[in-house]
Amino acid sequence: ARAEHLTRVCGGCVWGTMASRAGAMQAGNRGCGAASGMARAAHARAAARAPGKAGMRGGWLRAHAQQTAEEMGFKTMRKGVKEAADESLLTPRFYTTDFDEMEELFNTEINKNLDQKEFEACLQEFRNDYNKVHFVRNDTFKKAADKITGDTRKIFIEFLERSCTAEFSGFLLYKELGRRLKTINPAVAEIFTLMSRDEARHAGFLNKALSDFGLALDLGFMTKNRTYTFFKPKFILYATYLSEKIGYWRYITIYRTLQRNPDNQLYPIFEYFENWCQDENRHGDFFSAMLKSQPQYLNDWQSRLWCRFFCLSVYITMYLNDHQRTAFYETVGLNTTQFNKHVIIETNKTTERIFSAVPDVEHPDFFPKMDQLVVLNAELLKLGKEGNNFGKFITMGRMAIIIIEIFLMKSK
């Protein structure tokens, strides 16, 4: 899911707060091998379908009554409506930006670098609306959800919530950009409006899936009450480009893996990922065109640092997020580490075509250091539950040192 990212299935950002503050200061193959995880995946799937270890009576009860939200550790606002998960550095965020500066960047009278022909070509792609009738549900959704029980049910709900939040975040940002740029650059404004259409479809589809599990999000309430993270326009361009492209690689990898292993497809939403990921790809291509129209974001030493910074922010966020939820990926037959490595490598290759610098993710030390962060992050979570603030501080310091070491590695 949007990654979960920044966006998508990566919607949060390890250094999001740092980048936000920096912005304020400036303002003023084709698949993922899962063989090594198949045994664990089979065990997870069996656990999802089995009555459990509480004996025949306990199994009979679970088969006839799903766990309540409270039993799964979720809070509800009212019946059938889930409270949004607490915000943290790794959860999907809502973003805002300097809309006045964005208007200046895409004003055709001010910026002579704008390639309106490329924007017009992008616009025609969005107007074609290839997925207009793609997101149509059937009765298999609810039936499949009813069969998912125990820990697997909780994992699926968390996955759907993160994905829905990330997609809805994109909808809000794109909708406002479409509104603000309408008189300045109608073509760019219309593209943003059509991208918000795509994101709204995705978020609605995911929220309806949540309702299959007896819980949904109150997106209107979230719009008014969730914290918005400020990013300067150039940071929005870097971050959303990466979010869309990493979302593409996540979705297509999950889809292709499940096509090869259909028994792992516990819920039909994954069958929609092939066409779905093309929306993400088109969005990323548009942001690529936007970055090319702003050469100052790509051609100096500062841009090289920011490009590497945002790449690592997104990659580290996804890597830590997914390894906190290994059980989910094993349930659908994926090896979490192999999946993440594949997605990061492919996203990096794509990003290298437009960013002025990207980290060398195929360096022999890169993923071992990422694995060290996974271990330390697990330790950090444990210390948090124990209330050991001093231990948390020390562990966060160790993580910061490793992140700096990764950042200082040779770039491409």
Side-chain angles (χ1 to χ4, degrees), residues 9-257:
V9 196
C10 302
C13 175
V14 168
W15 293 334
T17 303
M18 294 168 58
S20 176
R21 290 173 181 167
M25 290 169 64
Q26 288 194 12
N29 158 32
R30 301 292 192 253
C32 177
S36 63
M38 291 301 291
R40 291 192 302 274
H43 177 75
R45 291 191 301 277
R49 298 180 178 119
K53 297 181 180 180
M56 294 179 63
R57 176 176 170 79
W60 184 90
L61 287 172
R62 272 187 292 274
H64 288 75
Q66 294 289 2
Q67 289 174 293
T68 65
E70 291 72 20
E71 288 172 338
M72 290 186 285
F74 298 132
K75 297 178 182 178
T76 56
M77 297 174 61
R78 55 187 180 274
K79 185 177 180 181
V81 178
K82 183 185 180 299
E83 278 191 16
D86 292 337
E87 297 180 60
S88 71
L89 286 176
L90 297 182
T91 54
R93 294 168 177 263
F94 283 7
Y95 292 93
T96 187
T97 189
D98 185 334
F99 293 104
D100 292 334
E101 183 181 342
M102 192 70 85
E103 288 176 8
E104 291 180 10
L105 292 176
F106 295 99
N107 187 320
T108 54
E109 296 181 3
I110 297 175
N111 190 344
K112 304 302 181 181
N113 293 313
L114 295 177
D115 186 349
Q116 286 299 118
K117 290 184 178 179
E118 185 168 10
F119 289 142
E120 291 289 346
C122 288
L123 176 56
Q124 188 55 52
E125 280 289 288
F126 285 102
R127 283 175 175 170
N128 289 337
D129 198 4
Y130 298 107
N131 285 335
K132 185 175 182 179
V133 296
H134 179 62
F135 294 96
V136 178
R137 289 165 48 90
N138 54 53
D139 59 2
T140 63
F141 279 78
K142 187 65 171 70
K143 292 177 181 177
D146 289 342
K147 294 178 182 178
I148 299 174
T149 60
D151 290 341
T152 306
R153 188 175 183 84
K154 180 180 180 181
I155 291 168
F156 262 75
I157 292 171
E158 292 173 342
F159 162 75
L160 292 169
E161 179 183 358
R162 292 193 310 275
S163 302
C164 181
T165 303
E167 298 282 359
F168 191 66
S169 169
F171 159 73
L172 292 173
L173 178 63
Y174 298 163
K175 181 182 178 182
E176 184 62 15
L177 284 168
R179 187 182 70 83
R180 293 292 295 265
L181 297 174
K182 195 169 185 178
T183 58
I184 300 298
N185 194 319
V188 170
E190 187 176 350
I191 293 172
F192 273 117
T193 299
L194 294 176
M195 288 201 302
S196 73
R197 170 204 66 195
D198 296 342
E199 301 292 320
R201 278 184 189 152
H202 302 165
F205 199 67
L206 287 158
N207 208 25
K208 184 62 176 175
L210 274 168
S211 70
D212 291 334
F213 291 82
L215 293 170
L217 296 174
D218 186 335
L219 298 177
F221 180 85
M222 290 174 65
T223 302
K224 297 176 182 178
N225 293 278
R226 199 171 180 87
T227 302
Y228 285 72
T229 299
F230 176 84
F231 269 9
K232 284 182 63 63
K234 71 174 179 180
F235 298 156
I236 288 289
L237 297 185
Y238 294 144
T240 47
Y241 170 84
L242 283 163
S243 172
E244 300 289 0
K245 287 300 183 180
I246 208 166
Y248 166 79
W249 282 109
R250 286 175 66 85
Y251 284 2
I252 196 62
T253 302
I254 292 172
Y255 174 81
R256 289 171 176 165
T257 302

Side-chain angles (χ1 to χ4, degrees), residues 363-377:
H363 188 284
D365 292 336
F366 181 82
F367 281 110
K369 289 185 180 297
M370 295 284 273
D371 291 333
Q372 291 176 38
L373 289 176
V374 170
V375 174
L376 290 173
N377 189 53

